[in-house]
Structures are given as structure tokens and as C-alpha cells.
Amino acid sequence: VGWAWYDGTRNALFRRLGAVRGNVAHHSLRAADLDMSVRDGLAREASRRWPRPWRDAILDSMHRSDFVGTPIAEYVPDRLTNGRIVVVGDAAHVPTPMTGRGFATSLDDAASLARHLHGVDQGGAPAALSAYDADRLGPGRSLVLSGQGFSRSFARSA
């Protein structure tokens, strides 16, 4: 059983333990990285917050210390191209997993890039890439921003 618990109230913990430095997510935290008071607090909160059967799965994972805490990294792009360089998918825009659209958006990026580059010779590549940027920048930005808005709409204050 896999589960995810999105929680924006423990950012300071991720920073204190080095999983997030500045605005960059560097690694996840294993249960063993957390002291017992943090794990006990998570278990108490899970008992209050989640109904069965989800609560049982979460508490079982916590009891076995078999879970990870992963910082959510998001990136809202200002552009997708620079001259003859182009980025697509997660390299171009990083939404929260809560959007459920990261992979599909990456495919849309690739299809758009293929359309804009189809039949273009070397000299026409910069214009084709600019057209790709114009086509995909808005949807990429909207995806990340909508995920951020959704996350903030239910996040509790620390």
C-alpha cells in the first residue's frame, strides 16, 4: 500500500535536517532521520486526521518506521527556450504531484516541440523554438500555479 500525506506545515523541519537548502529540495527524509518526538507527533496527528482504513495504513508504516518525507519542489518558468536551447517536461516546469498532470504536460510539450520543428531546417530552428515557447509557456506556468493554489487552499498554518 502506498500513501501520500501532503503537509505544508513542516517546512522548517526539512530545512533544519538539510533536505531543503535555500529554495532547493536536495533529498527526502527517511523515518530514521526523524527523532522519536517527531514520529510520535505524526502518529498522533494521523490518528486525529485520517479515518480508517487510511489511518491504519499510515500508523502501520509509522510503527515500522517504513516511510519517507519528500519535499515538494515546484518551479514556475519564465521561458522555455534560449536561442537554440529548449527545455520540455519536468526540466521546463515542475508542478506539485497533486496536479496529477506532470507526465501528461510533458507529453504535450514533446508533441508541440515536434510540431514546431517538423520540416524546419537548421536556420529556422530559433523561430520554431520561439513558437514552441509561445505555445507551451502559458500552460506550463498555469499548471504549476494552479497546483500551488490548490496546495495552499487546504494547508494549515504551522
Side-chain angles (χ1 to χ4, degrees):
V1 172
W3 54 272
W5 176 354
Y6 296 97
D7 178 356
T9 66
R10 292 183 173 79
N11 295 336
L13 175 67
F14 281 95
R15 291 182 190 290
R16 183 171 54 84
L17 296 176
V20 175
R21 287 176 257 155
N23 289 326
V24 178
H26 286 269
H27 59 82
S28 296
L29 297 174
R30 297 164 300 156
D33 297 328
L34 306 174
D35 62 46
M36 198 52 125
S37 66
V38 171
R39 288 187 275 170
D40 288 345
L42 287 168
R44 280 192 304 276
E45 188 172 343
S47 293
R48 285 190 316 269
R49 179 179 281 226
W50 297 103
R52 284 192 161 132
W54 299 278
R55 176 181 58 220
D56 296 339
I58 292 168
L59 292 175
D60 178 66
S61 297
M62 289 182 179
H63 175 74
R64 291 182 292 109
S65 295
D66 188 17
F67 65 92
V68 296
T70 301
I72 303 297
E74 298 169 307
Y75 173 69
V76 181
D78 292 324
R79 64 183 184 191
L80 304 177
T81 63
N82 186 7
R84 297 175 57 84
I85 298 171
V86 62
V87 289
V88 299
D90 285 348
H93 39 75
V94 182
T96 173
M98 292 182 69
T99 66
R101 290 272 311 142
F103 180 72
T105 301
S106 296
L107 292 177
D108 292 342
D109 288 353
S112 174
L113 183 60
R115 268 192 320 277
H116 288 291
L117 288 175
H118 182 75
V120 173
D121 64 14
Q122 195 172 28
L129 296 180
S130 290
Y132 160 79
D133 193 292
D135 185 30
R136 297 302 304 157
L137 180 61
R141 288 180 57 83
S142 292
L143 176 67
V144 178
L145 293 171
S146 70
Q148 288 176 341
F150 182 70
S151 295
R152 289 181 182 110
S153 72
F154 70 88
R156 295 182 345 190
S157 299

